[in-house]
Amino acid sequence: MNNNNPKSNEILTYGILGIPIAFLGFPLYIYLPTFYVEYVNLSVGAVGVILLIARLLDMILDPFIGNFTDKHNKFNIILVSSFFILFGLYFLIKPIYFNSLWLFFFSFITYISYSFVMIPYLTLNSQISNNSVNNTKLAFSREVFIVLGVLISLLFPYIFLVADDSKKSLELLLYTCMIIFPIFSIIFYFKLKHFENTKNNISKVSNNEFLKSINFFFESFPQHKKLFLAFLINNLANALPATLFLFFVKFVLELEEKTGLFLIIYFLSAILTFPLWIKLSIKISKKTTWILSMITACVAFFFVPFLQQNDFLYFVIICIITGMSLGADMALPSSIQADVAQESKKINNDISGILFGFWAMITKFSLALAVAISFIALEFTSFDTQNINENSIIVIIVLYSIVPIFLKLISIIFLSKYKLT
């Protein structure tokens, strides 16, 4: 681990890689399935199954990617993988063969390359920093730029007047990534690579022993099981409304034309409140601040079932409050995880990459579970986008707001029992 405090410009440089990374999350999730249905002429079911299988395989491999990360130079991995992302993304958006196998192969390459960037990127949080406060600053820097990247990626299709065309939106996303990803990756590499001390930071854990190391870690630090459970349940609580957001705005509020504005307000609120959460976490602890942010979100969600059609102003207020909570929800858990990763060195092996691999797997599992729960529940209500029924409306409201409240309360219980070290 580096013994010097990262400078302000180094904290900024660390975070800025989050902008191109953000382009591969939310926008790809929105436009890619529609593109392969409308322009490649695959069935909705086929696209859904293929992308789910690719995601699940990627998710399962995360801890192994983490183990690989612990054994090699993380900056080299990020730099090389960023070009593999562009390779996969190019052929995913510019297919030569219009079939299911093409979609599966290049979506898997894109997802797995993304993991090879994201896991070492998260792991470096605990390597660049040498204390809890710097962990928080680095985590917030990363999440600020990720949210900023999401905002830019949401606005670009509207600025260039292609938001209604999934093909043109994806091409805009591709061309932007091909410009900014190499530039930001190279700046990141050359400005921060001095933090990679291979002698001190490469794990000695063998491929056959790394799962045993995880078990030993939990035996040595049993309180961290509560943190994992709190993280998993809270992620699910966040993933459910994220999955159903478009449905809620369209069918419950009937304000589909305001969707972009709601998202911009939501993410902008997260960005503007990041400094508040940083100061608060230093003053009252990260754990207490995280709990406070979850309580804030619960309060906002409590009023959602009472919203009526065209309740624009009330929903804007809810977007602002839940957006504020998002700021803490994104950065504080990863900052605590960086503290835990540093603590893992007490067992004489750096398994931080493996730990972040498991956390990445939990995040992806939560998203997949949210989609499964939401769509299976809606299927039982005979959900029809052309003729929405009252039962579907009720399920959307319950899963969008009521269930997340209960999940967050359970997460708060686990987190309150977790002893922050």
Side-chain angles (χ1 to χ4, degrees), residues 37-89:
V37 171
E38 291 181 350
Y39 291 94
V40 183
N41 294 320
L42 297 181
S43 70
V44 175
V47 171
V49 170
I50 290 165
L51 292 178
L52 177 63
I53 293 171
R55 283 286 192 188
L56 288 174
L57 287 173
D58 172 42
M59 179 188 80
I60 292 167
L61 290 172
D62 278 345
F64 298 92
I65 294 172
N67 187 41
F68 179 86
T69 294
D70 285 332
K71 295 176 178 298
H72 299 85
N73 185 296
K74 298 172 185 64
F75 290 95
N76 291 343
I77 294 171
I78 291 171
L79 186 64
V80 172
S81 299
S82 65
F83 288 95
F84 273 97
I85 284 177
L86 295 177
F87 169 76
L89 189 64

Side-chain angles (χ1 to χ4, degrees), residues 117-291:
V117 169
M118 198 64 189
I119 291 172
Y121 182 46
L122 292 171
T123 306
L124 281 171
N125 195 143
S126 64
Q127 184 172 309
I128 294 173
S129 166
N130 59 6
N131 60 59
S132 179
V133 173
N134 283 328
N135 284 342
T136 302
K137 289 179 179 179
L138 287 164
F140 272 99
S141 175
R142 179 183 66 242
E143 301 305 335
V144 164
F145 282 108
I146 286 176
V147 174
L148 184 61
V150 170
L151 264 177
I152 294 169
S153 65
L154 286 171
L155 286 171
F156 266 21
Y158 290 96
I159 293 171
F160 290 94
L161 305 176
V162 295
D164 294 332
D165 190 319
S166 60
K167 183 176 186 292
K168 290 180 179 177
S169 296
L170 279 174
E171 287 175 347
L172 179 62
L173 167 72
L174 171 64
Y175 299 142
T176 307
C177 277
M178 291 186 76
I179 294 169
I180 66 172
F181 220 130
I183 294 172
F184 286 5
S185 296
I186 290 168
I187 292 172
F188 180 87
Y189 179 83
F190 284 104
K191 290 287 186 180
L192 298 178
K193 67 175 183 177
H194 63 277
F195 283 102
E196 180 71 57
N197 185 329
T198 54
K199 182 178 179 181
N200 294 330
N201 288 296
I202 290 182
S203 173
K204 298 176 182 178
V205 179
S206 71
N207 290 322
N208 295 325
E209 293 178 344
F210 85 95
L211 289 176
K212 292 180 181 178
S213 297
I214 285 289
N215 290 330
F216 180 66
F217 171 77
F218 280 125
E219 288 173 3
S220 303
F221 310 106
Q223 73 274 16
H224 292 320
K225 292 177 183 177
K226 300 182 184 73
L227 178 64
F228 267 70
L229 286 170
F231 182 64
L232 171 62
I233 296 167
N234 185 57
N235 264 0
L236 181 58
N238 292 336
L240 281 169
T243 303
L244 293 167
F245 179 82
L246 297 178
F247 287 162
F248 182 83
V249 172
K250 182 176 181 178
F251 298 118
V252 179
L253 298 179
E254 297 185 3
L255 291 169
E256 186 178 11
E257 72 281 0
K258 304 291 186 183
T259 300
L261 179 59
F262 288 140
L263 288 170
I264 289 168
I265 290 170
Y266 177 69
F267 287 114
L268 198 57
S269 298
I271 291 174
L272 293 175
T273 52
F274 272 125
L276 170 67
W277 294 120
I278 291 178
K279 291 180 181 179
L280 201 58
S281 67
I282 294 171
K283 189 174 183 179
I284 65 172
S285 87
K286 299 176 190 180
K287 186 181 86 169
T288 306
T289 305
W290 187 16
I291 289 173

Side-chain angles (χ1 to χ4, degrees), residues 382-402:
S382 302
F383 177 71
D384 184 358
T385 56
Q386 303 302 318
N387 186 25
I388 192 77
N389 61 64
E390 190 63 30
N391 289 334
S392 296
I393 294 288
I394 292 170
V395 167
I396 290 171
I397 293 171
V398 169
L399 291 178
Y400 181 84
S401 59
I402 297 174

